[in-house]
Amino acid sequence: MPNLKELVIIGDGFAAAVMVVHLLQRGISRSSITVIGPGDLGKGNAYNCASLFFRLNVREDLPIVFSEDPLHFARWAEQNINDPQAKTEAGYFYRRQDFGRYVCELITQECESDQLEQIKAKVLNLTGAENNWHLELDNQSTLIAKKVIIAAGNPSPNWPCKVTLQQPTSVTPRLIENPWTGHFLESIDAQENIILLGGGLTALDAINALEGRKHQGMVYVIAPRALFPPEQAPWQKQGQPSWPQNVSPARLIRFMRNYLPSAPTNSAEWQSAWEELRPNLNALWQQFSPHQKKSLFKRLGWLWSLYRFRASPQTIAAYQRLKEKNQIQFVMGRAKEIKCSEMNVTALLGNGIEVEGDRILNCTGVASDQLLQQLIEVGLAIPDPLGHAIAVDKNFRVMHLSGEHWNSLWMIGPGTMGSLGDVIAASAIAKQAEQLAIQLS
Ligand SMILES: Cc1cc2nc3c(=O)[nH]c(=O)nc-3n(C[C@H](O)[C@H](O)[C@H](O)COP(=O)(O)OP(=O)(O)OC[C@H]3O[C@@H](n4cnc5c(N)ncnc54)[C@H](O)[C@@H]3O)c2cc1C
């Protein structure tokens, strides 16, 4: 059969790269693996950053790729990264582009790049079933695979509201729909007033970059709450909570509330307790029904995101410096429309407030994945309980009916969060890759 591949990995980011590394280390042959993704294998959306100001939000001992050698990255960083500004009281927070370089090197160490087949394209459609999966690529080619692992990661952001262009061709540079790489920074004039739509880690990256480039204009942050995630503290896990039996969502919340100290959330004491709670949460999450997962996320998803994704000390320091100079202001609300003219850009909020600036950056996070949507539409997959991606079982097999799964289609990475819990950080994804490689070998 022409173009028949043994095992295809869809995606070229961190998840795809660590999947390759763990498969090779378990004895799967290079010639049986084909990676499909448009960029350098290992960088993906998270670590393919042009900006030197975009840093990891975790200290050096936390991105763990090999569970038996947790300090592998920390050692590599010490030898290969020259970045005096990485050092803080809470540990070393390296640039994301340097972490991308590390992941690319892992691949090079495992195999010469020409020995691993990577097709530089995106998969538009995945059809077929079990024995043969048909993949349609955006370079007009098609191929057939016996097994497929989806590692498509974080879908690039889309505007969360209507965008009205009053001068369609000449004004689009005012609208930065995807700020993840940081390329937009080159074109920003220091006097511009910048609107950041969203108040999470992407907004903090932009603040760190603008402040680092000595920005002089105003920065407006549009968010439902005037709060940024807390700064990482030098936390260390001290103990292990003794969880009660049969934890319901309500009991989980009560238990976590009682376990967490009343200290501030940016203190080492509070963050240590939070990190002691985390290792058990995925197993508990997996026991909840789809309805329980949905209502828990609806009630507490924003709080979870706030404290789970803490910020690097560098970004919070940059925010404080802008604040001292009265150069940054929160505007509370949600955008319902963005209007862009030749002269400026205006965000109209649902509460009637209008915010005007020279440029707007979309810092609202991931969009929805077209490939996963397509799988749901043709009935090859079902939505996960949160409706964010597709459902998988605890062995990462894609579900096609409630209780039924494919034996030749898997997914790892952030898309598995609705089914499996907190799988967003690099170390959680690497663990999934390690477990799936064991199954496949
Ligand atoms: C901007 C950003 C910053 C982050 N920072 C951190 C951090 O500091 N620390 C941390 O622990 N975690 C961080 N994360 C979390 C992140 O989810 C993981 O660390 C990890 O990088 C995710 O890897 P991934 O390969 O699953 O996804 P991604 O990094 O999103 O890579 C997925 C890749 O797959 C490609 N792809 C998508 N669809 C297709 C398709 N249909 N066909 C072919 N290719 C496709 C994409 O183009 C992309 O290159 C960050 C995430 C983002 C988005």
Side-chain angles (χ1 to χ4, degrees):
M1 210 177 286
N3 260 346
L4 175 65
K5 309 288 180 191
E6 187 64 32
L7 171 61
V8 163
I9 300 175
I10 301 177
D12 55 6
F14 175 80
V18 292
M19 193 67 244
V20 169
V21 168
H22 285 296
L23 286 169
L24 295 177
Q25 291 202 343
R26 300 267 156 195
I28 304 272
S29 85
R30 268 174 220 129
S31 58
S32 65
I33 303 173
T34 304
V35 173
I36 306 179
D40 295 343
L41 177 56
K43 294 188 176 173
N45 288 316
Y47 308 119
N48 189 20
C49 304
S51 174
L52 296 176
F53 294 100
F54 290 5
R55 290 183 179 275
L56 294 173
N57 71 324
V58 289
R59 64 183 191 224
E60 79 283 6
D61 59 335
L62 294 173
I64 298 171
V65 173
F66 306 106
S67 53
E68 80 285 3
D69 185 7
L71 296 181
H72 193 272
F73 170 64
R75 282 199 313 278
W76 182 91
E78 214 180 327
Q79 288 160 13
N80 294 282
I81 300 178
N82 178 14
D83 177 10
Q85 284 160 1
K87 190 174 178 193
T88 74
E89 281 177 14
Y92 289 79
F93 290 75
Y94 289 109
R95 293 177 178 128
R96 288 215 298 277
Q97 58 171 236
D98 283 328
F99 188 69
R101 191 158 58 86
Y102 162 72
V103 186
C104 288
E105 256 190 43
L106 291 179
I107 292 285
T108 321
Q109 270 163 22
E110 283 304 320
C111 54
E112 298 295 322
S113 50
D114 61 347
Q115 289 178 318
L116 183 77
E117 185 184 24
Q118 181 179 352
I119 300 174
K120 298 241 172 182
K122 277 205 147 191
V123 178
L124 296 177
N125 269 303
L126 179 62
T127 50
E130 288 303 9
N131 295 332
N132 282 326
W133 293 97
H134 297 246
L135 294 95
E136 187 190 322
L137 312 192
D138 67 354
N139 62 4
Q140 272 80 48
S141 67
T142 55
L143 52 89
I144 299 167
K146 289 188 190 165
K147 298 177 196 152
V148 175
I149 300 174
I150 302 172
N154 305 283
S156 309
N158 291 146
W159 292 111
C161 59
K162 182 174 154 195
V163 175
T164 309
L165 296 179
Q166 283 155 354
Q167 294 280 330
T169 47
S170 55
V171 294
T172 40
R174 294 191 185 282
L175 303 172
I176 314 293
E177 187 168 26
N178 177 3
W180 283 348
T181 63
H183 281 114
F184 65 89
L185 286 159
E186 301 306 321
S187 56
I188 287 186
D189 185 278
Q191 310 296 332
E192 286 183 13
N193 293 329
I194 308 289
I195 304 171
L196 305 180
L197 190 57
L201 295 181
T202 301
L204 281 167
D205 278 341
I207 287 167
N208 193 33
L210 290 168
E211 202 274 339
R213 293 166 61 94
K214 311 212 180 324
H215 193 74
Q216 287 159 27
M218 274 303 287
V219 178
Y220 300 103
V221 183
I222 299 176
R225 299 169 192 85
L227 264 183
F228 277 125
E231 173 179 350
Q232 291 276 17
W235 57 267
Q236 292 297 337
K237 284 189 227 174
Q238 312 282 348
Q240 266 193 332
S242 26
W243 288 92
Q245 296 286 312
N246 305 322
V247 183
S248 64
R251 207 152 172 221
L252 173 85
I253 296 169
R254 266 201 313 278
F255 182 81
M256 287 182 70
R257 256 202 208 128
N258 290 337
Y259 192 83
L260 290 166
S262 53
T265 55
N266 61 359
S267 67
E269 188 193 352
W270 191 92
Q271 293 183 13
S272 302
W274 175 263
E275 292 299 323
E276 286 160 19
L277 288 167
R278 271 187 55 208
N280 292 79
L281 292 178
N282 283 7
L284 293 169
W285 176 262
Q286 287 168 34
Q287 286 167 18
F288 296 151
S289 70
H291 174 72
Q292 286 175 317
K293 285 178 182 162
K294 207 170 168 175
S295 53
L296 191 57
F297 193 80
K298 204 169 163 196
R299 266 184 70 196
L300 293 176
W302 73 273
L303 255 183
W304 172 258
S305 301
L306 188 67
Y307 296 126
R308 160 70 187 77
F309 301 111
R310 295 189 299 272
S312 69
Q314 289 90 340
T315 56
I316 297 294
Y319 165 58
Q320 295 297 353
R321 287 193 290 269
L322 283 187
K323 218 165 112 179
E324 277 157 24
K325 290 192 264 177
N326 289 325
Q327 241 186 294
I328 190 159
Q329 190 184 317
F330 268 104
V331 183
M332 279 192 280
R334 286 179 195 277
K336 70 167 190 195
E337 187 178 355
I338 295 165
K339 284 190 176 165
C340 189
S341 73
E342 207 160 356
M343 304 303 292
N344 61 18
V345 58
T346 308
L348 311 172
L349 310 197
N351 55 17
I353 296 176
E354 292 190 10
V355 188
E356 202 184 286
D358 296 299
R359 222 175 276 253
I360 186 164
L361 272 61
N362 179 11
C363 306
T364 57
V366 298
S368 90
D369 189 300
Q370 295 305 308
L371 180 66
L372 303 186
Q373 286 308 316
Q374 175 259 328
L375 284 171
I376 294 171
E377 276 158 27
V378 298
L380 291 172
I382 55 171
D384 71 23
L386 301 183
H388 293 172
I390 57 176
V392 295
D393 71 4
K394 60 181 189 328
N395 293 319
F396 319 113
R397 291 175 297 200
V398 172
M399 312 284 298
H400 56 94
L401 284 171
S402 188
E404 299 281 330
H405 54 76
W406 298 112
N407 285 315
S408 54
L409 181 65
W410 299 265
M411 181 168 79
I412 60 163
T416 61
M417 181 183 118
S419 305
L420 303 179
D422 175 21
V423 195
I424 300 198
S427 52
I429 297 170
K431 211 175 203 168
Q432 288 191 330
E434 223 169 354
Q435 289 166 355
L436 183 52
I438 293 171
Q439 278 181 58
L440 293 178
S441 60

